[in-house]
Amino acid sequence: MAMVVTAWFGGYAFPIHRVHHIMIGGTLAVFAATIVVQLYRPTKHVGALQAALAFIIAAFVLTAIASGLAAAGELLVFLVPVVLITLLHPARSELVPRLKGADRRVLAIAAVGAMDSRRSPSPSS
């Protein structure tokens, strides 16, 4: 995470990778913040854990697709602690939103919006 600060200054050891390292450092800083927020009233901050889960699962899957499982294995150092935190979280039952109290009209509009509006091309005769 120190790269967020050090990469901005002259004499950086990897000037060609400056933007890349700033992005990695910034992403890790946000990821760490989502974990730290859980330390204070975790039952009230379920969204932070949802963000951490979404981040690490997306990073793992995208890395596995782009670079293979060997590269994705390096993310296990992040994935395993987040999974453990999730399993031990006092409000883990609230991680997945329930549709029980959702307005059916809003769900219908969301379903219509999710439909693919493109028509499949008809075969030419």
Side-chain angles (χ1 to χ4, degrees), residues 12 14-20:
Y12 185 63
F14 307 100
I16 296 173
H17 300 284
R18 186 179 310 256
V19 172
H20 178 106

Side-chain angles (χ1 to χ4, degrees), residues 1-124:
M1 288 186 284
M3 294 185 286
V4 171
V5 176
T6 59
W8 288 99
F9 300 107
Y12 185 63
F14 307 100
I16 296 173
H17 300 284
R18 186 179 310 256
V19 172
H20 178 106
H21 289 172
I22 290 170
M23 291 303 299
I24 289 173
T27 302
L28 287 176
V30 171
F31 176 69
T34 63
I35 299 301
V36 170
V37 166
Q38 296 299 306
L39 298 175
Y40 180 72
R41 294 186 182 174
T43 56
K44 302 257 187 221
H45 297 116
V46 178
L49 184 56
Q50 289 171 331
L53 278 169
F55 168 79
I56 194 58
I57 291 170
F60 188 83
V61 170
L62 292 173
T63 302
I65 291 169
S67 302
L69 285 176
E74 295 177 10
L75 294 175
L76 287 176
V77 72
F78 300 108
L79 181 65
V80 171
V82 171
V83 169
L84 287 174
I85 290 169
T86 303
L87 292 174
L88 298 172
H89 199 277
R92 70 180 170 273
S93 63
E94 297 177 24
L95 286 176
V96 178
R98 306 286 185 249
L99 297 177
K100 187 176 181 180
D103 186 355
R104 291 178 188 249
R105 295 171 294 184
V106 174
L107 290 176
I109 291 171
V112 170
M115 289 182 190
D116 189 7
S117 62
R118 297 174 288 165
R119 292 182 169 240
S120 59
S122 59
S124 57

